[in-house]
Each structure stands twice: as structure tokens, then as C-alpha cells.
Amino acid sequence: MAMRATVSRFPVTEEALEACAVQWGIAVTPFAAADERGQLPATGGGGDRVPRCEHCWAYLNSHCDMERWGWSCALCGTLNGFDDDALHRLQRPDALPELTSSFVDLEIPVDGSEGAGDGVQARPVYVAAVDLACSEEFLELIKSALLAALEALIPGSLFGLMTFSHKIGLYDVQGPIPVVKNVFIPPDTEEDGLPVALEDAMPLLSFLAPIDTCKDRIAAALDTLRPTSSWERGAASGQEPDTVLLGGRGFGTAMPALIDYLSSEYGTTFALARVFAFLSGAPDYGDGQLDTRRYGEQYASKGEDPDLALLPEQIPFYKDLAAVAVQAGVCVDIFAVTDEYTDLASLKFLSIESGGSLFLYTNTDDSTLPQDMHTDPAVVQIAFQYSVIEPVKATSENETQSSAGYMFCLKRRLRIRTLQYRPAKNINEIYDSVDPEALLHILVHKVILISLDKGVKEGRSLVHDWLALLIARYNQVLRSDPRTPELPVDVDFLQCPQLQMLPQLVFALLRSPLLRLHEEGIHPDYRIYLQCLFSALEPSSLAKAIYPVLISYSSPDKQAFPRHTLSRAALIMSESPIFLLDAFTNLIVYYSSTADPSLPFPPPHDCLLRTMINELKQGRCITPKLTFIHGGREDSALFESYLIEEQDVDGPGFTTGKGFVSFRESIRHAVADIIETESSI
């Protein structure tokens, strides 16, 4: 359960709340696996035995003050006594999660007896309810989504397939050939409901098939689904076939029947059932029909607000049905695939109030529905133990043991961090989610290992070849999209902003002393120092050490631009007089030769530029060397040595006018060779 308050310090009085005019509240995600800090709950048994306050009924928790025979409630302050059971459990307070953590998840015995739930064999149940009053494109999308869902369902689950239009179709896939039994839906609301109960049409245990043994048969049944024809819908509604378009969607009759069908085995065959309801339009047949004509009404001519008029539900039918679903242990997810008005204002209650979700896809061409049905996140966990020495306050008993009055103790700790990552829906989504600094961080670590094992030249080759391969794959993805015209090789990632800095970062890494060759004058001790330093830096700091940040200022108190490329051209185009270069271990303040002589040099201690410098120095594990250079009066070689984009990737680093431009062309040729080689295979 994650909880985030709008303010971290609450107003003491109602007057203070009104005076501050801040929206005061707490956002709660009740079923989040971890808290807002990512901490998992403490777990254990005895959830039915946790003491509660006699006044406000709050539970005993880690914030309560403990007495020998009782406890003071942290919420209302009431002093409560312990009963015999609580006193017995308190003999081992470390075994009580509620006293050791503010976030606990405790087991509660079923039917009030320990172990009563051990013999319950209820299995997860999933039912797909598919709209057949639809188009072929809709149905193909649903088939793809359900095939993906079948792969994601946990082993041991039961799965049922139901269709609806002017009739309800129940599928038995447990035999060698899928069998469907149809129950026709009356066109008008009738008190007697369906002519045949679903249980009478097909026993529930024939409808619910085990995933483990019937997955292929379920897939075969999905392949048989076809949209209902206009002739079928016309015959059912008494209309001429030529006058019937899409429609005949008896969703409002099918869903109550399905919920009632499943409820007969609630608590026996299943503990909870989840229904995937796929809709291609608004329910317009049988019970729960929704009038979509209200969307086209001329509200302005009536003096009404259309946004306000279309927000409330038309009828309470689906809200009432949600309450029935909850009582039956059924949760409903609604997947609406339509670009037409479907009145989700009315339908939404069936999903959100039964514990499900509502999804909307406006077309079938670029719908992410299959991915949304198979969205189990990847989970990464880092855990390690470490030791720490902490001071202990001296007491009268141990003061004599230390002349200075200080004592220290060694503590051993276990630190755990768990993160979830959603799977990418396609390669473009992978590219769009790239963190370039983190990517550089991993690349540098690999290069260091390769350099130690096979030499610096092999490390350089690895970096160059990797960038060429990445750009080749990126271009192949671009060319695979039929909407993209044939283009020359793109080495600048013009279609993906997240990747656009990578060529510069790789070029800078190749220019770095970490990967420059011995004959260029790189001392081996300095290289080893950089290997150790770079291995210890976090991604943002490492990125600065590889590709320094160049910031321009129009005056010592006014920043002009937060980042420039490392080139002379960037300095000239900016027309700014002052630059701050942050190379992590070095900070350089550079005044251009054309800077106004009235600008104070060095910058005053109370200016914005100095404040930035002080903040950068304080946040470093190594204090950076600070240098001031005035281009019109002093040697600018140190500052210009960092303008790497005009330096050759190989060589001593003298400015030649080629540099990064030449590097891009070499990469372009390598990419073209890769694409040509792979296309010929």
C-alpha cells in the first residue's frame, strides 16, 4: 500500500488549513506491492489477533507507546490494556511484525480457525466475453490479444470463452473439437430474462477449461470466431437484413447472466474470477441498452454544457451490476475498441467498481491491446549485506572503558531494493525509454573490463562497433515501417530524441584518456586511476567526466544557456562572454576574448556563477580543481582541450577541423556495410 500526502507537515488547526489554501489529502494505492518508498511489507500470521483500540478501533502499530500492561493509541491517545493472549505474544516482541514495521501484511485464518483455508482448492478463473456484433478487424485484434493473455496466465488457471451479440455463445473446449452452445437474447427487456439459464445450456465445469491441458484447444476455438452477419441480426430483431448494420450487441443481458453463471461456484471452484469484456460499441440490444444519440444533440442551442451533460451515466444499470459482481467474486475489465461514442460514462462502473480496469482503443491498426493483455512487469532486486560502525552514547557503566568517553559498535545490515519495469510493446518503445547516461555507464564498465583483459585497442574497437551496430538496427527499424519513405542512413537518431546524444558520448569516450593509446602520452597510472574513478561514479557524474557540461552566462549573475556542444562553433554562435565547463574533476570558468572589459574577472563571490560553482564542489566525492581563464589575456589551451568535437578521434588531440564530423562519416560507412551484409544473407 502506497500513501502520499499532499503536504509532509499537516496543518494543526482548521484555520491553518483554510489559511494556507493547500489541497489537503492523501493519495492511497491500496493494492500496491510496496510502499511509496519501495519498501515491501513485513509479513506474518495472527492478523486476527492484533490488538485494537477500545475507543477508535485503530490497530496496535509501531507508532504506539508501549507500557508493561498496556499501550497508548497513536491515533487518539487512549490507554488500552493487553489481554492474556497479547501478553503471551509480547514475550517475543521481535516476532510481532506490527511492532517492527509501519507496513505489514498479515494472514487472517479462514472461517476463524487456524489452517481452515489450507484445504481450499479454489483456482484462478478467467473468462473472455467477446463482442461478435463487430468487424473482422476488431475480431482479429481480440484473437491476438487473447492468445497473448493465454501465455501470461498462471499455470493451474481455468479459462472460459463466451461470445455475445443477439445471442450468448458458451464454448466447451475440453473435448477434441470445440463445442458451442447458444442462448438467444430477447430483443426487449423481459422480467423472465433468458429463455434458458446458462447452467442448463452448459455446466460451468464444462465451460471452464484448465489452461495447462487445453491451451491449444482454446486457441482453436478462438480461430472459429466470426462476426455475426446482418442476416442473423435482422432475423433476431425482426428487421430486414439490408437495414441492419452493426449492432445487436446484447452486452447488458450477457454480463448479468455470466455473473450469475459464475456465482454458483464462488468459494468452491474459484475464489475470484476475472472477466475480460471486449466491446466494439455501445450495448444496443436486450437489457442495459445505451442511447448514443445524446452525443449528437445540439447542447449549445439548448444553453447546456455538453461536457457536463455527457459526464453522468444514462442509467444506473451497470453501477448496480457492479455491486452484484462484487458479491459474486467477479471482477470485470472492459476493453472498448471503437472510435464512436460508446457512453463509457455508464459502462465504467462495471469495471472500476468491481475491481477491474477500463481500456479504450480508438482504432484497430495501432492498438496496444495485445500488449496490455500480457503486461507482467520485469522485477529486478538488488540485495547486499554491509557493516557500519556507529557511536554509542557512553553510560556510567562504560565511561571508564574509554578515556574520551566515546564508544563504538559494529553493526551488520541487509539492504534490499526491488524495482518493476514494464515490458516494451515494440522496439521503438525500447529506444524511447533509453536513459543515455545509464547506457554510457554500462558501456564504460564493459570497456574497462575488456581493456584489462585484451587491451585498450580492443576496448576502442568494441565501442566503435557497438555504436555502428546500434545505428544499423535503428535504421532497419525505420525502414521496416511502410509509412516511412526510403531515407539515407540516419546516424543522428533524428526520430528518437533519447538516442541523439549517444554519438557524441561515444566519440567523447574514444577521445577520453581512458581509451587513448599509450603512444599519445597517456601515463599508465593515470589510466588505472581513471578506471577506478569511473567505476565508482554514478551515471550522471560519469557522463560529465566523459562529456563535460558547457554552460554559458551573459553575466556572472545571469545564465544564458544550460548546455552547449563541445566545439568552437558553439562558443561563437552563442555570443555569450562567460562559460562554465564542468568536467567533474575540473571546473573551468572561461571569459571569451571578446568579453566586455567591464565584466568583473574573476566573478564576484556573491554572484550566481559562484553559487553554482560552490554547489558543484560540495556535491562531489572528489573536490574539483577550479581554474579561471580570460581568453584575451591568458593561455586558453586547457579550456580548448575540452572542445573535443573539433579534434580527431585518433591522434594527439590537435584541432584539425574534422573531429566529430569525420567520426560520423566513418560510422555511416560502417553502418552501411552492416546493412548491406545483413540484407544479402
Side-chain angles (χ1 to χ4, degrees):
M1 181 187 298
M3 302 173 62
R4 299 184 62 179
T6 57
V7 290
S8 60
R9 299 198 176 194
F10 283 10
V12 178
T13 63
E14 186 175 347
E15 291 76 12
L17 174 62
E18 293 180 359
C20 71
V22 172
Q23 295 294 321
W24 184 42
I26 299 176
V28 181
T29 309
F31 289 106
D35 66 14
E36 63 282 357
R37 298 166 299 175
Q39 296 294 317
L40 296 177
T43 59
D48 59 326
R49 300 163 65 187
V50 179
R52 302 188 70 173
C53 177
E54 297 172 357
H55 177 72
C56 70
W57 287 95
Y59 285 97
L60 174 67
N61 57 78
S62 60
H63 297 289
C64 296
D65 292 330
M66 303 294 292
E67 307 288 343
R68 183 176 181 182
W69 305 108
W71 56 283
S72 296
C73 178
L75 277 74
C76 68
T78 299
L79 179 62
N80 300 272
F82 288 122
D83 59 20
D84 293 340
D85 178 66
L87 288 173
H88 176 72
R89 296 174 67 223
L90 282 168
Q91 293 177 7
R92 292 188 57 207
D94 58 324
L96 301 178
E98 63 267 28
L99 293 182
T100 59
S101 174
S102 61
F103 183 19
V104 296
D105 212 8
L106 306 178
E107 295 274 342
I108 297 178
V110 178
D111 296 330
S113 59
E114 296 290 343
D118 295 345
V120 177
Q121 298 299 318
R123 303 165 71 178
V125 166
Y126 300 89
V127 176
V130 181
D131 179 5
L132 293 187
C134 64
S135 65
E136 289 280 359
E137 294 79 11
F138 170 87
L139 208 49
E140 288 303 313
L141 177 65
I142 303 311
K143 291 177 184 179
S144 175
L146 287 175
L147 289 174
L150 288 176
E151 298 300 322
L153 298 182
I154 59 176
S157 301
L158 299 177
F159 184 87
L161 176 60
M162 184 189 88
T163 59
F164 61 89
S165 56
H166 63 283
K167 60 185 177 183
I168 297 172
L170 303 176
Y171 285 76
D172 180 352
V173 298
Q174 300 185 55
I177 300 174
V179 176
V180 59
K181 297 290 184 69
N182 292 312
V183 177
F184 284 86
I185 299 174
D188 298 317
T189 303
E190 296 182 4
E191 292 184 4
D192 295 336
L194 294 174
V196 179
L198 299 188
E199 179 65 33
D200 295 334
M202 180 180 292
L204 183 60
L205 296 183
S206 298
F207 173 70
L208 297 176
I211 289 287
D212 301 353
T213 57
C214 298
K215 186 179 294 183
D216 292 340
R217 295 171 187 170
I218 296 170
L222 289 172
D223 198 47
T224 66
L225 299 184
R226 298 289 183 272
T228 54
S229 66
S230 59
W231 181 88
E232 290 180 276
R233 295 194 296 271
S237 61
Q239 302 177 49
E240 292 295 327
D242 293 341
T243 65
V244 179
L245 300 174
L246 296 182
R249 190 173 296 107
F251 180 72
T253 303
M255 293 309 295
L258 175 60
I259 293 169
D260 181 63
Y261 188 30
L262 294 171
S263 67
S264 63
E265 292 292 325
Y266 177 40
T268 304
T269 299
F270 73 92
L272 291 171
R274 193 172 202 100
V275 175
F276 303 134
F278 301 96
L279 275 170
S280 65
D284 57 3
Y285 188 86
D287 293 333
Q289 295 184 37
L290 297 174
D291 185 2
T292 58
R293 292 175 298 179
R294 72 170 184 165
Y295 180 68
E297 291 188 17
Q298 302 298 318
Y299 291 99
S301 62
K302 301 178 181 178
E304 298 180 28
D305 182 352
D307 292 321
L308 184 60
L310 293 171
L311 284 179
E313 71 272 23
Q314 289 187 44
I315 54 177
F317 180 88
Y318 293 98
K319 190 170 188 178
D320 295 341
L321 183 58
V324 176
V326 170
Q327 292 297 318
V330 176
C331 159
V332 182
D333 291 317
I334 295 179
F335 299 86
V337 186
T338 176
D339 61 353
E340 308 212 348
Y341 178 64
T342 309
D343 192 14
L344 295 183
S346 298
L347 290 169
K348 68 178 182 181
F349 294 104
L350 179 56
S351 58
I352 62 176
E353 293 200 358
S354 69
S357 299
L358 175 67
F359 301 84
L360 175 65
Y361 310 90
T362 56
N363 61 71
T364 58
D365 294 335
D366 55 3
S367 170
T368 60
L369 176 56
Q371 292 83 2
D372 293 340
M373 297 289 293
H374 185 37
T375 56
D376 287 338
V379 180
V380 177
Q381 186 177 81
I382 307 295
F384 63 95
Q385 296 183 13
Y386 66 103
S387 300
V388 61
I389 297 178
E390 291 187 344
V392 178
K393 186 176 181 180
T395 63
S396 58
E397 290 80 12
N398 60 31
E399 276 181 349
T400 58
Q401 299 179 23
S402 174
S403 58
Y406 292 104
M407 293 275 301
F408 296 88
C409 67
L410 180 67
K411 291 188 176 181
R412 189 76 174 159
R413 293 177 178 170
L414 172 66
R415 177 167 292 184
I416 302 173
R417 180 74 193 277
T418 306
L419 295 173
Q420 285 186 342
Y421 296 91
R422 288 289 179 187
K425 298 169 185 174
N426 49 53
I427 296 179
N428 286 327
E429 194 167 88
I430 295 176
Y431 288 154
D432 291 337
S433 65
V434 164
D435 181 337
E437 292 182 346
L439 196 154
L440 176 67
H441 188 265
I442 297 299
L443 186 62
V444 168
H445 278 255
K446 285 189 174 182
V447 164
I448 291 173
L449 292 175
I450 289 290
S451 299
L452 291 171
D453 185 36
K454 298 183 179 180
V456 173
K457 290 183 179 179
E458 190 66 25
R460 291 176 63 86
S461 178
L462 167 72
V463 173
H464 187 279
D465 293 347
W466 169 79
L467 179 61
L469 183 63
L470 173 66
I471 296 176
R473 294 286 183 265
Y474 162 79
N475 278 270
Q476 288 168 342
V477 171
L478 286 182
R479 296 180 180 187
S480 68
D481 188 346
R483 298 171 296 181
T484 303
E486 189 72 16
L487 298 171
V489 174
D490 175 14
V491 298
D492 298 314
F493 300 105
L494 296 176
Q495 304 298 319
C496 185
Q498 290 299 105
L499 297 175
Q500 289 175 1
M501 271 298 293
L502 285 181
Q504 278 118 320
L505 292 176
V506 169
F507 176 80
L509 179 57
L510 291 170
R511 283 291 312 148
S512 164
L514 185 71
L515 287 182
R516 282 166 61 187
L517 301 177
H518 179 73
E519 42 272 34
E520 294 183 50
I522 303 301
H523 195 283
D525 287 342
Y526 185 58
R527 193 191 310 279
I528 294 296
Y529 161 71
L530 289 182
Q531 289 180 348
C532 295
L533 174 63
F534 289 1
S535 296
L537 294 181
E538 52 87 29
S540 295
S541 298
L542 178 58
K544 291 179 180 178
I546 298 294
Y547 192 95
V549 176
L550 183 61
I551 308 169
S552 62
Y553 286 79
S554 55
S555 73
D557 276 309
K558 186 176 182 181
Q559 186 183 107
F561 197 75
R563 185 153 197 169
H564 297 272
T565 58
L566 300 177
S567 66
R568 291 173 179 268
L571 268 65
I572 295 171
M573 292 178 63
S574 75
E575 299 182 350
S576 297
I578 305 173
F579 296 87
L580 171 62
L581 187 137
D582 180 7
F584 191 75
T585 56
N586 283 295
L587 292 173
I588 301 175
V589 176
Y590 176 76
Y591 280 48
S592 71
S593 58
T594 58
D596 189 333
S598 64
L599 290 173
F601 178 84
H605 287 279
D606 59 349
C607 69
L608 176 66
L609 178 54
R610 284 280 194 172
T611 301
M612 170 68 77
I613 291 170
N614 292 334
E615 291 176 354
L616 293 174
K617 291 171 68 176
Q618 292 171 5
R620 298 283 156 88
C621 58
I622 296 177
T623 302
K625 180 182 178 182
L626 177 61
T627 306
F628 296 95
I629 299 175
H630 198 299
R633 309 172 191 169
E634 301 166 291
D635 185 4
S636 303
L638 176 62
F639 175 73
E640 292 174 354
S641 68
Y642 286 99
L643 305 180
I644 58 174
E645 293 199 13
E646 288 156 335
Q647 301 170 10
D648 284 344
V649 73
D650 296 305
F654 298 116
T655 301
T656 63
K658 298 178 182 177
F660 182 65
V661 174
S662 177
F663 173 72
R664 286 175 66 255
E665 289 306 308
S666 71
I667 291 293
R668 188 189 305 275
H669 291 306
V671 170
D673 290 341
I674 293 173
I675 295 175
E676 182 179 355
T677 301
E678 294 187 350
S679 62
S680 63
I681 297 177

